Short mmCIF file of all heavy atoms in Angstrom, two decimals:
data_model
loop_
_atom_site.label_atom_id
_atom_site.label_comp_id
_atom_site.label_asym_id
_atom_site.label_seq_id
_atom_site.Cartn_x
_atom_site.Cartn_y
_atom_site.Cartn_z
N SER F 1 0.88 -1.27 -0.01
CA SER F 1 -0.05 -0.02 -0.02
C SER F 1 0.92 1.21 0.04
O SER F 1 0.63 2.21 -0.69
CB SER F 1 -0.93 -0.02 1.24
OG SER F 1 -1.89 -1.04 1.11
N ALA F 2 1.96 1.22 0.79
CA ALA F 2 2.85 2.33 0.85
C ALA F 2 3.55 2.54 -0.50
O ALA F 2 3.70 3.66 -0.99
CB ALA F 2 3.90 2.14 1.99
N GLU F 3 3.88 1.41 -1.15
CA GLU F 3 4.50 1.43 -2.46
C GLU F 3 3.50 2.11 -3.44
O GLU F 3 3.90 2.96 -4.17
CB GLU F 3 4.85 0.04 -2.98
CG GLU F 3 5.43 -0.02 -4.35
CD GLU F 3 5.67 -1.37 -4.90
OE1 GLU F 3 5.66 -2.34 -4.06
OE2 GLU F 3 5.81 -1.54 -6.12
N GLY F 4 2.25 1.76 -3.37
CA GLY F 4 1.30 2.33 -4.34
C GLY F 4 0.95 3.84 -4.11
O GLY F 4 1.03 4.58 -5.14
N VAL F 5 1.01 4.14 -2.85
CA VAL F 5 0.71 5.56 -2.51
C VAL F 5 1.92 6.31 -2.97
O VAL F 5 1.77 7.37 -3.63
CB VAL F 5 0.55 5.75 -0.96
CG1 VAL F 5 0.72 7.24 -0.68
CG2 VAL F 5 -0.84 5.20 -0.44
N PHE F 6 3.12 5.91 -2.59
CA PHE F 6 4.27 6.62 -3.07
C PHE F 6 4.64 6.65 -4.51
O PHE F 6 5.05 7.71 -4.97
CB PHE F 6 5.54 6.14 -2.25
CG PHE F 6 6.72 7.00 -2.31
CD1 PHE F 6 6.67 8.22 -1.72
CD2 PHE F 6 7.92 6.72 -2.92
CE1 PHE F 6 7.75 9.12 -1.73
CE2 PHE F 6 9.05 7.60 -2.93
CZ PHE F 6 8.94 8.78 -2.31
N ARG F 7 4.35 5.57 -5.13
CA ARG F 7 4.46 5.64 -6.63
C ARG F 7 3.60 6.54 -7.30
O ARG F 7 3.92 7.33 -8.19
CB ARG F 7 4.24 4.13 -7.13
CG ARG F 7 4.47 4.00 -8.69
CD ARG F 7 4.22 2.56 -9.14
NE ARG F 7 4.91 1.56 -8.35
CZ ARG F 7 6.16 1.31 -8.55
NH1 ARG F 7 6.90 1.89 -9.51
NH2 ARG F 7 6.80 0.24 -7.71
N HIS F 8 2.33 6.70 -6.88
CA HIS F 8 1.34 7.70 -7.30
C HIS F 8 1.85 9.12 -7.10
O HIS F 8 1.93 9.98 -8.04
CB HIS F 8 0.02 7.53 -6.60
CG HIS F 8 -1.02 8.38 -6.94
ND1 HIS F 8 -1.79 8.09 -8.22
CD2 HIS F 8 -1.43 9.63 -6.51
CE1 HIS F 8 -2.61 9.19 -8.33
NE2 HIS F 8 -2.45 10.08 -7.32
N MET F 9 2.45 9.33 -5.93
CA MET F 9 3.00 10.63 -5.54
C MET F 9 4.16 11.06 -6.47
O MET F 9 4.27 12.20 -6.94
CB MET F 9 3.36 10.71 -4.07
CG MET F 9 2.14 10.75 -3.12
SD MET F 9 2.75 10.86 -1.41
CE MET F 9 1.24 11.05 -0.68
N ILE F 10 5.08 10.14 -6.68
CA ILE F 10 6.25 10.49 -7.45
C ILE F 10 5.87 10.64 -8.98
O ILE F 10 6.40 11.41 -9.62
CB ILE F 10 7.42 9.45 -7.36
CG1 ILE F 10 7.02 7.98 -7.81
CG2 ILE F 10 7.92 9.52 -5.90
CD1 ILE F 10 8.24 7.05 -7.72
N ASP F 11 4.85 9.89 -9.44
CA ASP F 11 4.34 10.01 -10.85
C ASP F 11 3.78 11.49 -10.91
O ASP F 11 4.09 12.18 -11.88
CB ASP F 11 3.28 8.93 -11.05
CG ASP F 11 3.94 7.64 -11.39
OD1 ASP F 11 5.13 7.55 -11.52
OD2 ASP F 11 3.08 6.69 -11.40
N GLU F 12 2.88 11.86 -9.95
CA GLU F 12 2.34 13.24 -9.92
C GLU F 12 3.30 14.40 -9.86
O GLU F 12 3.13 15.31 -10.42
CB GLU F 12 1.30 13.39 -8.83
CG GLU F 12 0.05 12.68 -9.14
CD GLU F 12 -1.10 13.05 -8.18
OE1 GLU F 12 -0.87 13.48 -7.06
OE2 GLU F 12 -2.37 12.88 -8.61
N ALA F 13 4.45 14.01 -9.07
CA ALA F 13 5.46 15.10 -9.03
C ALA F 13 6.51 14.99 -10.19
O ALA F 13 7.34 15.85 -10.18
CB ALA F 13 6.26 14.68 -7.65
N GLY F 14 6.31 14.19 -11.15
CA GLY F 14 7.12 14.18 -12.29
C GLY F 14 8.58 13.60 -11.95
O GLY F 14 9.54 13.80 -12.68
N LEU F 15 8.66 12.68 -10.92
CA LEU F 15 9.88 12.17 -10.48
C LEU F 15 10.04 10.68 -10.71
O LEU F 15 11.07 10.08 -10.35
CB LEU F 15 10.03 12.31 -8.93
CG LEU F 15 10.09 13.78 -8.51
CD1 LEU F 15 10.01 13.89 -6.96
CD2 LEU F 15 11.31 14.57 -9.06
N SER F 16 9.10 10.11 -11.52
CA SER F 16 9.21 8.60 -11.81
C SER F 16 10.56 8.24 -12.49
O SER F 16 11.01 7.11 -12.40
CB SER F 16 8.07 8.13 -12.44
OG SER F 16 7.80 8.84 -13.65
N GLY F 17 11.11 9.15 -13.20
CA GLY F 17 12.40 8.79 -13.94
C GLY F 17 13.67 8.84 -13.02
O GLY F 17 14.75 8.40 -13.42
N VAL F 18 13.52 9.40 -11.77
CA VAL F 18 14.55 9.51 -10.91
C VAL F 18 14.37 9.00 -9.45
O VAL F 18 15.32 8.87 -8.73
CB VAL F 18 15.08 11.04 -10.74
CG1 VAL F 18 15.69 11.46 -12.08
CG2 VAL F 18 14.04 11.90 -10.32
N VAL F 19 13.28 8.44 -9.27
CA VAL F 19 12.84 7.78 -8.08
C VAL F 19 12.25 6.33 -8.29
O VAL F 19 11.40 6.20 -9.07
CB VAL F 19 11.83 8.53 -7.23
CG1 VAL F 19 11.53 7.90 -5.88
CG2 VAL F 19 12.38 9.98 -6.90
N GLN F 20 12.86 5.40 -7.70
CA GLN F 20 12.41 3.98 -7.73
C GLN F 20 11.90 3.55 -6.50
O GLN F 20 12.38 3.96 -5.44
CB GLN F 20 13.63 3.04 -8.12
CG GLN F 20 13.25 1.62 -8.41
CD GLN F 20 14.48 0.80 -8.71
OE1 GLN F 20 15.27 1.14 -9.42
NE2 GLN F 20 14.44 -0.46 -8.17
N VAL F 21 10.71 2.86 -6.56
CA VAL F 21 9.96 2.37 -5.35
C VAL F 21 9.65 0.93 -5.33
O VAL F 21 9.39 0.41 -6.43
CB VAL F 21 8.78 3.32 -5.01
CG1 VAL F 21 7.83 3.27 -6.12
CG2 VAL F 21 8.06 2.91 -3.69
N ASP F 22 9.85 0.19 -4.30
CA ASP F 22 9.49 -1.18 -4.22
C ASP F 22 8.98 -1.41 -2.70
O ASP F 22 9.18 -0.58 -1.81
CB ASP F 22 10.72 -1.99 -4.53
CG ASP F 22 10.30 -3.54 -4.75
OD1 ASP F 22 9.09 -3.82 -4.93
OD2 ASP F 22 11.15 -4.29 -5.15
N SER F 23 8.58 -2.71 -2.42
CA SER F 23 8.20 -3.04 -1.14
C SER F 23 8.66 -4.58 -0.97
O SER F 23 8.81 -5.19 -1.91
CB SER F 23 6.73 -2.97 -0.94
OG SER F 23 6.08 -3.70 -1.88
N ALA F 24 8.79 -4.89 0.38
CA ALA F 24 9.36 -6.24 0.64
C ALA F 24 8.84 -6.59 2.15
O ALA F 24 8.34 -5.79 2.77
CB ALA F 24 10.74 -6.27 0.57
N ALA F 25 9.08 -7.89 2.48
CA ALA F 25 8.77 -8.47 3.67
C ALA F 25 9.85 -8.87 4.48
O ALA F 25 10.97 -9.18 3.90
CB ALA F 25 7.83 -9.73 3.52
N THR F 26 9.74 -8.83 5.83
CA THR F 26 10.77 -9.30 6.62
C THR F 26 10.60 -10.84 6.90
O THR F 26 11.61 -11.53 7.28
CB THR F 26 10.80 -8.64 8.02
OG1 THR F 26 9.47 -8.76 8.63
CG2 THR F 26 11.18 -7.16 8.01
N HIS F 27 9.36 -11.32 6.62
CA HIS F 27 9.11 -12.80 6.87
C HIS F 27 8.73 -13.43 5.61
O HIS F 27 8.30 -12.76 4.61
CB HIS F 27 7.93 -12.89 7.95
CG HIS F 27 8.38 -12.43 9.30
ND1 HIS F 27 8.62 -11.11 9.67
CD2 HIS F 27 8.70 -13.15 10.44
CE1 HIS F 27 8.98 -11.13 10.91
NE2 HIS F 27 9.07 -12.37 11.38
N THR F 28 8.61 -14.88 5.61
CA THR F 28 8.28 -15.55 4.37
C THR F 28 6.89 -15.96 4.34
O THR F 28 6.58 -16.85 3.41
CB THR F 28 9.24 -16.68 4.31
OG1 THR F 28 8.99 -17.60 5.36
CG2 THR F 28 10.70 -16.30 4.24
N PHE F 29 5.98 -15.51 5.07
CA PHE F 29 4.49 -15.96 5.12
C PHE F 29 3.85 -15.96 3.85
O PHE F 29 3.05 -16.92 3.56
CB PHE F 29 3.65 -15.08 6.16
CG PHE F 29 4.34 -15.05 7.51
CD1 PHE F 29 4.31 -13.84 8.20
CD2 PHE F 29 4.84 -16.12 8.20
CE1 PHE F 29 4.88 -13.76 9.46
CE2 PHE F 29 5.35 -16.14 9.39
CZ PHE F 29 5.34 -14.90 10.08
N HIS F 30 4.12 -14.91 2.93
CA HIS F 30 3.16 -14.73 1.85
C HIS F 30 3.90 -14.54 0.46
O HIS F 30 3.44 -14.00 -0.37
CB HIS F 30 2.27 -13.54 1.94
CG HIS F 30 1.29 -13.63 3.25
ND1 HIS F 30 0.25 -14.44 3.24
CD2 HIS F 30 1.50 -13.10 4.42
CE1 HIS F 30 -0.26 -14.25 4.39
NE2 HIS F 30 0.40 -13.51 5.18
#
């Protein structure tokens, strides 16, 4: 969800070419 929110924000700010965003887990559950 944070990745989606932040990706939307960087796209709107015109920064998608210079900012990369991802998400990950500390555990292996899913």
Side-chain angles (χ1 to χ4, degrees):
S1 295
E3 176 185 345
V5 168
F6 195 61
R7 186 178 305 281
H8 181 81
M9 288 179 176
I10 61 174
D11 287 348
E12 283 192 336
L15 297 173
S16 55
V18 292
V19 179
Q20 180 181 323
V21 59
D22 198 4
S23 61
T26 54
H27 293 71
T28 59
F29 304 134
H30 301 284

